Amino acid sequence: LVPAVERPEAWMVDRPAEVNQVVAALCRVSGGTVGVTTAVQGAGGFGKTTVAKMVRADRRVVRRFRGRVYWVTLGRDAGKEALAGLVNGLIARLEPERPVTFTDARQAGEYLAAMMATGPRRLLILDDVWSEEQLAVFPAAGRCARLVTTRIPSLTAGMALPIRVDQMSSVQARALLVADLPPLPSAVVARLVEETGRWPLLLRLVNKLLAGQAGLHLDITAAAEELLGLLRAGGRVSVDELTGAAGQPLDVTDPVQRQQAVWATIQASTGLLGATECSRLAELAVFAEDETIPIPLIAALWSATGGLDSIAAGALCARLADLALLAPSPGGGMVTMHDVIRDYHRDELGADRLAQLHEVLLSIIAETLPTAAPVAGAGSVTAWWELPKDARYLRDHLIDHMLAAGRAGQAEETAADLRWVGARLQASGPAGAYADLALVGTSRAERLAWVLGQVAHLLAPTDPPYSVADILYCRIGHDPDWGPQAMTLTASRAVPALASAWPPPDLPAPPLRSVIVGHTESVTAVAVAPDGTWIATGSWDKTARI
């Protein structure tokens, strides 16, 4: 499938120097990588993602790759448990007629590399990369190119062309600062540009803050002067006192100054809100990083914490988006929070309050679901597997929220419940259920993840979709933990089901970890590394795979 071209948002200020560098590099390389990074270690908000969006929509890039430009957002929280699902999702977008069922991210990456090596020219954009492991499973192969954005300059070392995206030029900073604002004195604009350090994230927050003041028909010049005082006092007063560097512009390479400047600007932005609205904004830090958050889910949380109804919650989301504290999703009905703003609010809330919010979120979702008898034992459990089909966020992050709320026991029981596993299989293949078990991390969960990995290659989507659970039950009937569950659930199925009349003769042996995939003909040779970290296979299909 060829993605539709997505144009950058109207407020984005063009950065031709960086965009032209990236475009020239992408049009020059074949099967190489271009890295977009910042020299400021660990800093966000410099516009790397914005530049990548501009590149994605650039006519030269669209023409070069004939529209085959694919975007994957990673982020700090995308650990090895989630990577296989992300790679599987990309493969499904590239070849929807060939579903794959990898639970191991490296195997999925190998398969993706084979597809890239033999397919047409494509561009893969990896946004917000944090580790070598994340890079490794999204390879550049054949005529395909890879564009990487990252806060960690060392990740782009040795790439075809690492391109730095740091502070804006003075002209760009002024354009972003005054966009859609009434006229401001040039001296005030110049001082604001200096005080923000030409940092795009901060400039955008200041712009929306002043736009909010203008919308209330207040004196925007006076508001700008007041904001200058806040930035100078909140952003660098302690630094100035210690160093005597009064009047110096914001040093964006200093994480303390960046944090203080963001604090001052967010405080000024939330000054346009009431105290309760500020609390509601901070509570959104409970959601996962780099995720689109459904507004109905936000409304449910705010109903529990602040008594807001869905209309009031939607209006507050719109107000927060007007202040650039949230960003609306292009598809509508969802919002995202920049990770710099999210980190600020997580620090403000503290660990105890965050744990309480995770608990509140789980409780309000549980109230919308029925209860069911456990597969074994007495009592009742929440039927988490009954989540609506469109509740992707909750399915992907339910176990995260349980662990963060201190519900480790419930997280293990849920991840090990075959009804939950079956729901995850239908929604995202075995990678989702495997990631849940790996995230729990107990010895029982790790063993069940191993069992699932042994049969994952057989768990492709079925028609009807629920029949994939029948295949799973058939293959795990021998397991001492899942076997009794499978027997009980098979006997209670209310829909037509496939059932094995006797144990399959090819059940996996206990030493089996995973199945070699990728060859199209028989494997005829195997070599094992001395330290056991890799194997190489040869086949009649005239390929070797590692």
Side-chain angles (χ1 to χ4, degrees), residues 161-203:
L161 182 61
I163 296 170
R164 280 174 45 180
V165 175
D166 290 323
Q167 296 152 287
M168 286 181 148
S169 69
S170 296
V171 173
Q172 293 166 341
R174 289 177 64 92
L176 180 55
L177 179 66
V178 303
D180 300 322
L181 293 181
L184 274 170
S186 58
V188 173
V189 173
R191 288 168 60 198
L192 279 173
V193 168
E194 180 182 43
E195 289 298 326
T196 56
R198 294 180 281 121
W199 185 15
L201 171 68
L202 204 54
L203 287 162

Side-chain angles (χ1 to χ4, degrees), residues 159-397:
M159 292 185 178
L161 182 61
I163 296 170
R164 280 174 45 180
V165 175
D166 290 323
Q167 296 152 287
M168 286 181 148
S169 69
S170 296
V171 173
Q172 293 166 341
R174 289 177 64 92
L176 180 55
L177 179 66
V178 303
D180 300 322
L181 293 181
L184 274 170
S186 58
V188 173
V189 173
R191 288 168 60 198
L192 279 173
V193 168
E194 180 182 43
E195 289 298 326
T196 56
R198 294 180 281 121
W199 185 15
L201 171 68
L202 204 54
L203 287 162
R204 174 71 172 157
L205 287 171
V206 169
N207 167 264
K208 298 303 286 185
L209 169 61
L210 295 178
Q213 296 281 352
L216 296 173
H217 304 289
L218 299 176
D219 185 342
I220 190 173
T221 301
E225 293 280 2
E226 183 178 353
L227 181 56
L228 278 167
L230 287 172
L231 282 170
R232 184 165 297 280
R236 284 186 312 290
V237 63
S238 59
V239 178
D240 293 347
E241 290 172 352
L242 290 173
T243 64
Q248 295 297 313
L250 170 66
D251 181 3
V252 294
T253 66
D254 185 337
V256 175
Q257 291 194 35
R258 287 199 310 269
Q259 183 181 32
Q260 291 172 335
V262 167
W263 180 88
T265 309
I266 292 177
Q267 287 289 316
S269 298
T270 54
L272 296 175
L273 306 170
T276 57
E277 294 171 316
C278 295
S279 298
R280 302 292 82 79
L281 169 64
E283 289 164 357
L284 299 187
V286 74
F287 293 104
E289 183 188 45
D290 283 330
E291 266 286 10
T292 52
I293 312 165
I295 292 178
L297 185 57
I298 294 174
L301 175 65
W302 284 347
S303 175
T305 59
L308 273 66
D309 58 29
S310 58
I311 295 177
L316 180 53
C317 284
R319 181 74 180 112
L320 296 174
D322 286 342
L323 292 171
L325 298 170
L326 295 178
S329 176
M334 299 186 185
V335 295
T336 60
M337 176 181 279
H338 195 288
D339 49 7
V340 172
I341 298 175
R342 176 180 179 268
D343 289 345
Y344 163 79
H345 286 299
R346 288 179 72 85
D347 290 341
E348 181 185 43
L349 289 169
D352 291 342
R353 178 55 179 159
L354 277 171
Q356 293 173 2
L357 288 170
H358 285 289
E359 180 64 39
V360 170
L361 184 63
L362 291 170
S363 298
I364 60 177
I365 299 305
E367 291 176 359
T368 67
L369 298 172
T371 57
V375 180
S380 63
V381 296
T382 302
W384 298 105
W385 54 91
E386 297 288 353
L387 284 169
K389 290 183 178 181
D390 60 353
R392 181 203 60 81
Y393 173 87
L394 284 173
R395 269 191 300 273
D396 285 350
H397 298 286

Side-chain angles (χ1 to χ4, degrees), residues 132-166:
E132 292 282 359
E133 185 179 35
Q134 292 177 341
L135 274 181
V137 299
F138 290 97
R143 297 189 297 164
C144 298
R146 186 174 61 169
L147 176 61
V148 175
T149 75
T150 179
R151 299 188 193 183
I152 305 172
S154 60
L155 288 179
T156 62
M159 292 185 178
L161 182 61
I163 296 170
R164 280 174 45 180
V165 175
D166 290 323

